[in-house]
């Protein structure tokens, strides 16, 4: 999977650090006095305080290759942190707390969150309550057709990427369990709560009983030629997740008028019956919700996300930040004819968005193969064959299973369970033949995030697929559970045997291409390294094998600058 880079913002050359302190940190793990990169003094900090102030400029010769400017103070030499930052990929920043300014040194830019208890497939998924999938730059928009994100990562016009859709679902499920209760306000339910809609001449509105849904609903018709439509004026702030049930005729639309409270700009969000995910012209943004003719469906829209994505789309993908607190909702406008019901505004609708994801996985599965196709061409590395559109990912399958297991647990609806069980099929088919199963040295089964030839053996995607299998084996019962368990057990056996192949002694590798392609290792950046650790910590709560806890601890050490001992 791919993260946004979250490097600590490093400012210019500000800080100079004591070299002796640096070298002792760098070598503290191997506990060996030789091999200091910079060893020019052995003063203690408190002795330095007595040294006369003032310093001399001095050149540092870097491995005989080039010179940089350093400073000398007595026997001590100080090296600019900006140099150290680049040279060692060490992070640091000036911070002030307790009324004191300090320099904070960080070996890595990631953090580890220890699990609070045994992992529960009914609960939060990893640390996904912190994910905001839809605001990522490589998400074009959340479509009005399905309510799931559309990716632009590998193809700019946008496509459905199962892994991303699952992460969207799992993040909303996890947020539902961790966030405070949302504020909800029902605007109109056609029955107990009614509003004074402005119905212009030539338009009509009524609140008949709808037998299909056993509910009073709001029925309206406004000629397409109407310049104003039927409207409801509001002066609404802060809760911007719109939810409504609707059944509107072709060519109809629902428009939300928003305003920026400082800039005074107006924005029109139009939800129309087209199939075009996103169009935008000036401050008019159009989301296609597809045809709904005579069928009721629920539409859940985070208006701020829709607005941001629309404005970014206008500006050729340049990400737009809009603060929720700066926006105001002024009007809801109905155009054309149709019926609506249960119109509400909330601070969040996590379960609605979770179920949009779960329903996508049911509706978009190849029922005979059990796979969710990745509709893009993908080249993982030189020397590996290109994946043609339609490939399956063990990570996408596993994540999809994690979503569906939770949906089945939460709703009790069999269709979610059935789709999850079907999704096991590609786990038994070789990656070279359209499945996701690879073999390591003809001995250990591996589920491939990318089913490349030769195999890539990507660690994080494999573990995510195992988590999916674990979820299903836990939530399902009988033979469904056993089927998932068998795949899970085989994968865990491989992981226990192969885990340390990813250990470099100071970090981890992302995959095993150094073995299959005989190239340099693909070292995991800290984001992925910390994902590896978080995954091991999760597994250590459900499997008693010591290898997970012990390895995780060593890998955490690497993030604090420790290294494996050398000979
Ligand atoms: C979580 O979902 C339940 C419905 O399953 C809902 O009642 C509750 O308000 C939601 N809470 C949050 C924080 O989203
Ligand atoms: C509106 O919500 C009520 C209560 O949840 C439900 O019974 C009704 O069917 C909903 N209306 C529509 C049109 O779905
Ligand atoms: C209603 O929709 C038609 C096209 O379908 C459009 O020309 C007209 O401007 C719309 N009116 C409003 C008030 O949005
Ligand atoms: C929608 O608009 C198209 C083109 O203007 C028209 O042919 C079609 O009849 C309209 N459909 C409805 C249900 O009004
Ligand atoms: C679904 O999977 C089957 C079996 O692998 C395959 O033959 C078929 O082409 C797939 N269908 C689609 C629409 O991709």
């Amino acid at each position: 999977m791919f993260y946004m880079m979250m490097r600590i913002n490093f400012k210019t050359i500000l800080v100079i650090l004591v070299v002796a302190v640096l070298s002792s940190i760098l070598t503290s793990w191997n506990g060996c006095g030789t091999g200091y990169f910079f060893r020019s003094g052995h003063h203690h900090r408190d002795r330095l305080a007595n040294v006369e102030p003032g310093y001399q400029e001095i050149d540092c010769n870097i491995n005989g290759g080039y010179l940089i400017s350093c400073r000398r103070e007595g026997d001590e030499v100080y090296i600019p942190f900006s140099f150290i930052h680049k040279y060692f990929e060490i992070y640091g920043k000036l911070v002030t707390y307790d009324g004191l300014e300090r320099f904070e040194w960080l070996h890595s830019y990631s953090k580890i969150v220890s699990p609070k208890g045994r992992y529960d497939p009914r609960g939060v998924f990893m640390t996904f309550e912190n994910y905001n999938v839809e605001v990522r730059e490589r998400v074009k928009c959340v479509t009005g057709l399905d309510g799931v994100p559309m990716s632009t990562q590998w193809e700019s016009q946008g496509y459905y990427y199962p892994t991303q859709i699952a992460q969207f679902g799992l993040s909303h499920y996890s947020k539902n369990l961790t966030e405070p209760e949302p504020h909800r306000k029902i605007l109109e339910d056609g029955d107990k709560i009614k509003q004074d809609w402005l119905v212009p001449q030539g338009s009509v509105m009524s609140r008949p009983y709808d037998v299909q849904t056993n509910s009073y609903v709001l029925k309206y018709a406004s000629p397409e030629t109407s310049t104003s439509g039927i409207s409801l004026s509001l002066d609404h702030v802060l809760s911007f997740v719109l939810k409504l049930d609707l059944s509107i005729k072709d060519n109809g639309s629902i428009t939300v008028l928003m305003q920026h409270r400082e800039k005074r700009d107006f924005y029109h969000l139009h939800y129309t019956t087209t199939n075009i995910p996103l169009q935008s012209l000036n401050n008019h943004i159009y989301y296609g919700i597809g045809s709904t003719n005579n069928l009721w469906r629920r539409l859940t829209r985070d208006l701020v996300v829709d607005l941001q994505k629309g404005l970014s789309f206008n500006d050729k993908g340049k990400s737009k930040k809009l603060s929720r607190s700066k926006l105001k909702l002024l009007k809801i406008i109905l155009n054309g004819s149709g019926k609506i019901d249960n119109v509400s505004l909330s601070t969040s609708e996590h379960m609605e968005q979770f179920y949009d994801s779960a329903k996508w996985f049911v509706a978009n599965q190849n029922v005979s193969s059990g796979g969710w196709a990745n509709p893009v061409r993908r080249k993982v590395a030189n020397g590996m064959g290109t994946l043609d559109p339609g490939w399956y990912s063990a990570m996408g399958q596993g994540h999809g299973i994690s979503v569906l297991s939770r949906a089945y647990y939460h709703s009790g609806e069999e269709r979610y369970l059935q789709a999850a069980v079907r999704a096991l099929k590609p786990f038994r088919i070789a990656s070279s033949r359209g499945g996701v199963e690879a073999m390591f040295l003809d001995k250990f089964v591996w589920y491939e995030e990318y089913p490349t030839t030769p195999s890539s053996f990507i660690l994080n995607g494999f573990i995510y697929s195992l988590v999916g299998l674990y979820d299903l084996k836990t939530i399902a019962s009988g033979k469904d559970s056993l089927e998932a368990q068998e795949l899970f057990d085989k994968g865990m056996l491989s992981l226990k045997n192969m885990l340390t192949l990813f250990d470099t002694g100071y970090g981890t590798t992302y995959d095993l291409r150094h073995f299959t392609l005989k190239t340099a290792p693909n070292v995991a950046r800290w984001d992925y390294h910390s994902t590896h650790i978080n995954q091991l910590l999760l597994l250590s709560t459900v499997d008693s094998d010591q290898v997970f806890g012990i390895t995780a601890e060593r890998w955490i050490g690497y993030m604090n600058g420790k290294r494996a001992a050398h000979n």
Side-chain angles (χ1 to χ4, degrees), residues 188-189 210 212-217 244-247 296-298 339-343:
E188 165 82 49
D189 66 2
D210 183 78
Q212 214 182 324
T213 54
N214 284 325
S215 164
Y216 285 95
V217 303
L244 73 161
D245 295 315
L246 54 78
S247 163
W296 282 95
R297 61 167 286 201
R298 178 161 294 169
K339 294 177 278 189
I340 58 170
D341 194 14
N342 301 324
V343 184

mmCIF file of all heavy atoms in Angstrom, residues 188-189 210 212-217 244-247 296-298 339-343, ligand 2:
data_model
loop_
_atom_site.group_PDB
_atom_site.id
_atom_site.type_symbol
_atom_site.label_atom_id
_atom_site.label_comp_id
_atom_site.label_asym_id
_atom_site.label_seq_id
_atom_site.Cartn_x
_atom_site.Cartn_y
_atom_site.Cartn_z
ATOM 1 N N GLU A 188 -36.130 17.210 7.222
ATOM 2 C CA GLU A 188 -37.475 16.953 6.654
ATOM 3 C C GLU A 188 -37.670 15.443 6.564
ATOM 4 O O GLU A 188 -36.822 14.738 6.005
ATOM 5 C CB GLU A 188 -37.549 17.598 5.255
ATOM 6 C CG GLU A 188 -38.707 17.159 4.383
ATOM 7 C CD GLU A 188 -40.028 17.872 4.670
ATOM 8 O OE1 GLU A 188 -40.019 19.121 4.743
ATOM 9 O OE2 GLU A 188 -41.063 17.189 4.824
ATOM 10 N N ASP A 189 -38.792 14.953 7.121
ATOM 11 C CA ASP A 189 -39.079 13.534 6.948
ATOM 12 C C ASP A 189 -40.467 13.317 6.343
ATOM 13 O O ASP A 189 -40.986 12.206 6.346
ATOM 14 C CB ASP A 189 -38.909 12.758 8.256
ATOM 15 C CG ASP A 189 -39.929 13.159 9.302
ATOM 16 O OD1 ASP A 189 -40.797 14.012 9.003
ATOM 17 O OD2 ASP A 189 -39.864 12.627 10.427
ATOM 18 N N ASP A 210 -46.023 6.808 0.890
ATOM 19 C CA ASP A 210 -45.361 5.981 -0.115
ATOM 20 C C ASP A 210 -45.453 4.520 0.333
ATOM 21 O O ASP A 210 -44.887 4.150 1.369
ATOM 22 C CB ASP A 210 -43.901 6.427 -0.256
ATOM 23 C CG ASP A 210 -43.165 5.661 -1.340
ATOM 24 O OD1 ASP A 210 -43.367 5.974 -2.528
ATOM 25 O OD2 ASP A 210 -42.397 4.739 -0.984
ATOM 26 N N GLN A 212 -44.241 1.860 -1.031
ATOM 27 C CA GLN A 212 -42.990 1.116 -1.209
ATOM 28 C C GLN A 212 -42.127 1.167 0.059
ATOM 29 O O GLN A 212 -41.472 0.195 0.408
ATOM 30 C CB GLN A 212 -42.231 1.764 -2.368
ATOM 31 C CG GLN A 212 -41.417 0.815 -3.215
ATOM 32 C CD GLN A 212 -40.675 1.592 -4.306
ATOM 33 O OE1 GLN A 212 -41.174 2.569 -4.858
ATOM 34 N NE2 GLN A 212 -39.469 1.174 -4.601
ATOM 35 N N THR A 213 -42.121 2.302 0.719
ATOM 36 C CA THR A 213 -41.242 2.461 1.884
ATOM 37 C C THR A 213 -42.018 2.618 3.195
ATOM 38 O O THR A 213 -41.417 2.872 4.240
ATOM 39 C CB THR A 213 -40.326 3.689 1.703
ATOM 40 O OG1 THR A 213 -41.145 4.830 1.424
ATOM 41 C CG2 THR A 213 -39.357 3.488 0.551
ATOM 42 N N ASN A 214 -43.339 2.533 3.144
ATOM 43 C CA ASN A 214 -44.157 2.687 4.354
ATOM 44 C C ASN A 214 -43.868 3.986 5.088
ATOM 45 O O ASN A 214 -43.635 3.990 6.292
ATOM 46 C CB ASN A 214 -43.912 1.522 5.328
ATOM 47 C CG ASN A 214 -44.609 0.269 4.864
ATOM 48 O OD1 ASN A 214 -45.700 0.339 4.291
ATOM 49 N ND2 ASN A 214 -43.968 -0.870 5.080
ATOM 50 N N SER A 215 -43.908 5.054 4.338
ATOM 51 C CA SER A 215 -43.473 6.296 4.963
ATOM 52 C C SER A 215 -44.063 7.483 4.197
ATOM 53 O O SER A 215 -44.289 7.392 2.985
ATOM 54 C CB SER A 215 -41.944 6.314 4.903
ATOM 55 O OG SER A 215 -41.427 7.571 5.142
ATOM 56 N N TYR A 216 -44.348 8.552 4.918
ATOM 57 C CA TYR A 216 -44.726 9.785 4.215
ATOM 58 C C TYR A 216 -43.468 10.384 3.605
ATOM 59 O O TYR A 216 -42.418 10.400 4.246
ATOM 60 C CB TYR A 216 -45.371 10.786 5.176
ATOM 61 C CG TYR A 216 -46.778 10.389 5.534
ATOM 62 C CD1 TYR A 216 -47.044 9.651 6.689
ATOM 63 C CD2 TYR A 216 -47.844 10.723 4.693
ATOM 64 C CE1 TYR A 216 -48.337 9.260 7.007
ATOM 65 C CE2 TYR A 216 -49.141 10.332 4.999
ATOM 66 C CZ TYR A 216 -49.382 9.599 6.156
ATOM 67 O OH TYR A 216 -50.651 9.204 6.458
ATOM 68 N N VAL A 217 -43.556 10.815 2.379
ATOM 69 C CA VAL A 217 -42.380 11.351 1.688
ATOM 70 C C VAL A 217 -42.719 12.692 1.043
ATOM 71 O O VAL A 217 -43.891 13.059 0.937
ATOM 72 C CB VAL A 217 -41.862 10.378 0.597
ATOM 73 C CG1 VAL A 217 -41.531 9.018 1.194
ATOM 74 C CG2 VAL A 217 -42.867 10.236 -0.536
ATOM 75 N N LEU A 244 -29.891 11.623 2.587
ATOM 76 C CA LEU A 244 -31.307 11.610 2.244
ATOM 77 C C LEU A 244 -31.661 10.373 1.437
ATOM 78 O O LEU A 244 -30.796 9.766 0.808
ATOM 79 C CB LEU A 244 -31.721 12.885 1.496
ATOM 80 C CG LEU A 244 -31.285 13.071 0.046
ATOM 81 C CD1 LEU A 244 -32.160 14.113 -0.624
ATOM 82 C CD2 LEU A 244 -29.848 13.524 -0.030
ATOM 83 N N ASP A 245 -32.925 9.996 1.494
ATOM 84 C CA ASP A 245 -33.443 8.939 0.634
ATOM 85 C C ASP A 245 -34.062 9.642 -0.548
ATOM 86 O O ASP A 245 -34.751 10.653 -0.391
ATOM 87 C CB ASP A 245 -34.493 8.118 1.391
ATOM 88 C CG ASP A 245 -33.891 7.367 2.558
ATOM 89 O OD1 ASP A 245 -32.816 6.764 2.371
ATOM 90 O OD2 ASP A 245 -34.458 7.423 3.668
ATOM 91 N N LEU A 246 -33.810 9.119 -1.748
ATOM 92 C CA LEU A 246 -34.358 9.792 -2.916
ATOM 93 C C LEU A 246 -34.739 8.829 -4.018
ATOM 94 O O LEU A 246 -34.259 7.707 -4.107
ATOM 95 C CB LEU A 246 -33.370 10.850 -3.434
ATOM 96 C CG LEU A 246 -31.928 10.444 -3.759
ATOM 97 C CD1 LEU A 246 -31.832 9.732 -5.081
ATOM 98 C CD2 LEU A 246 -31.062 11.681 -3.800
ATOM 99 N N SER A 247 -35.639 9.322 -4.839
ATOM 100 C CA SER A 247 -36.067 8.600 -6.036
ATOM 101 C C SER A 247 -36.427 9.701 -7.022
ATOM 102 O O SER A 247 -37.520 10.246 -6.972
ATOM 103 C CB SER A 247 -37.281 7.735 -5.686
ATOM 104 O OG SER A 247 -37.939 7.335 -6.871
ATOM 105 N N TRP A 296 -35.941 3.726 -4.835
ATOM 106 C CA TRP A 296 -35.416 4.541 -3.747
ATOM 107 C C TRP A 296 -33.971 4.164 -3.489
ATOM 108 O O TRP A 296 -33.604 2.999 -3.570
ATOM 109 C CB TRP A 296 -36.223 4.304 -2.474
ATOM 110 C CG TRP A 296 -37.529 5.019 -2.469
ATOM 111 C CD1 TRP A 296 -38.735 4.520 -2.844
ATOM 112 C CD2 TRP A 296 -37.749 6.371 -2.058
ATOM 113 N NE1 TRP A 296 -39.703 5.468 -2.696
ATOM 114 C CE2 TRP A 296 -39.133 6.623 -2.211
ATOM 115 C CE3 TRP A 296 -36.936 7.401 -1.578
ATOM 116 C CZ2 TRP A 296 -39.709 7.852 -1.906
ATOM 117 C CZ3 TRP A 296 -37.500 8.619 -1.265
ATOM 118 C CH2 TRP A 296 -38.872 8.840 -1.434
ATOM 119 N N ARG A 297 -33.172 5.133 -3.227
ATOM 120 C CA ARG A 297 -31.825 4.836 -2.744
ATOM 121 C C ARG A 297 -31.408 5.907 -1.751
ATOM 122 O O ARG A 297 -32.021 6.976 -1.662
ATOM 123 C CB ARG A 297 -30.814 4.766 -3.893
ATOM 124 C CG ARG A 297 -30.674 6.055 -4.672
ATOM 125 C CD ARG A 297 -29.459 6.033 -5.561
ATOM 126 N NE ARG A 297 -28.265 6.183 -4.749
ATOM 127 C CZ ARG A 297 -27.099 6.594 -5.250
ATOM 128 N NH1 ARG A 297 -26.990 6.845 -6.545
ATOM 129 N NH2 ARG A 297 -26.059 6.756 -4.464
ATOM 130 N N ARG A 298 -30.381 5.561 -0.982
ATOM 131 C CA ARG A 298 -29.899 6.534 0.004
ATOM 132 C C ARG A 298 -28.632 7.181 -0.514
ATOM 133 O O ARG A 298 -27.763 6.534 -1.085
ATOM 134 C CB ARG A 298 -29.608 5.825 1.319
ATOM 135 C CG ARG A 298 -29.056 6.767 2.378
ATOM 136 C CD ARG A 298 -29.212 6.196 3.745
ATOM 137 N NE ARG A 298 -30.623 6.101 4.099
ATOM 138 C CZ ARG A 298 -31.067 5.435 5.160
ATOM 139 N NH1 ARG A 298 -30.222 4.810 5.952
ATOM 140 N NH2 ARG A 298 -32.351 5.393 5.431
ATOM 141 N N LYS A 339 -39.034 12.225 -5.622
ATOM 142 C CA LYS A 339 -39.447 12.126 -4.225
ATOM 143 C C LYS A 339 -38.193 12.093 -3.348
ATOM 144 O O LYS A 339 -37.185 11.495 -3.743
ATOM 145 C CB LYS A 339 -40.246 10.835 -4.003
ATOM 146 C CG LYS A 339 -41.572 10.808 -4.722
ATOM 147 C CD LYS A 339 -42.297 9.486 -4.522
ATOM 148 C CE LYS A 339 -41.815 8.411 -5.457
ATOM 149 N NZ LYS A 339 -42.618 7.187 -5.457
ATOM 150 N N ILE A 340 -38.282 12.715 -2.191
ATOM 151 C CA ILE A 340 -37.182 12.633 -1.227
ATOM 152 C C ILE A 340 -37.753 12.383 0.167
ATOM 153 O O ILE A 340 -38.944 12.626 0.408
ATOM 154 C CB ILE A 340 -36.282 13.900 -1.209
ATOM 155 C CG1 ILE A 340 -37.110 15.152 -0.883
ATOM 156 C CG2 ILE A 340 -35.543 14.069 -2.524
ATOM 157 C CD1 ILE A 340 -36.252 16.393 -0.618
ATOM 158 N N ASP A 341 -36.895 11.916 1.047
ATOM 159 C CA ASP A 341 -37.343 11.642 2.419
ATOM 160 C C ASP A 341 -36.120 11.605 3.335
ATOM 161 O O ASP A 341 -34.991 11.431 2.874
ATOM 162 C CB ASP A 341 -38.079 10.287 2.459
ATOM 163 C CG ASP A 341 -38.864 10.091 3.755
ATOM 164 O OD1 ASP A 341 -39.066 11.083 4.490
ATOM 165 O OD2 ASP A 341 -39.281 8.948 4.018
ATOM 166 N N ASN A 342 -36.377 11.769 4.613
ATOM 167 C CA ASN A 342 -35.327 11.635 5.641
ATOM 168 C C ASN A 342 -34.084 12.481 5.329
ATOM 169 O O ASN A 342 -32.968 11.972 5.341
ATOM 170 C CB ASN A 342 -34.926 10.166 5.796
ATOM 171 C CG ASN A 342 -36.096 9.294 6.200
ATOM 172 O OD1 ASN A 342 -36.967 9.720 6.965
ATOM 173 N ND2 ASN A 342 -36.140 8.083 5.676
ATOM 174 N N VAL A 343 -34.316 13.759 5.070
ATOM 175 C CA VAL A 343 -33.197 14.653 4.770
ATOM 176 C C VAL A 343 -32.559 15.078 6.088
ATOM 177 O O VAL A 343 -33.231 15.646 6.952
ATOM 178 C CB VAL A 343 -33.684 15.910 4.016
ATOM 179 C CG1 VAL A 343 -32.501 16.781 3.627
ATOM 180 C CG2 VAL A 343 -34.522 15.521 2.806
HETATM 181 C C1 LIG B 2 -37.205 7.204 6.170
HETATM 182 O O1 LIG B 2 -36.806 6.716 7.442
HETATM 183 C C2 LIG B 2 -37.770 5.904 8.078
HETATM 184 C C3 LIG B 2 -37.250 5.611 9.464
HETATM 185 O O2 LIG B 2 -35.979 5.051 9.398
HETATM 186 C C4 LIG B 2 -38.016 4.660 7.252
HETATM 187 O O3 LIG B 2 -38.987 3.844 7.854
HETATM 188 C C5 LIG B 2 -38.469 5.069 5.863
HETATM 189 O O4 LIG B 2 -38.643 3.939 5.038
HETATM 190 C C6 LIG B 2 -37.466 6.025 5.233
HETATM 191 N N1 LIG B 2 -37.971 6.503 3.969
HETATM 192 C C7 LIG B 2 -37.513 6.078 2.792
HETATM 193 C C8 LIG B 2 -38.113 6.698 1.598
HETATM 194 O O5 LIG B 2 -36.651 5.243 2.674
#
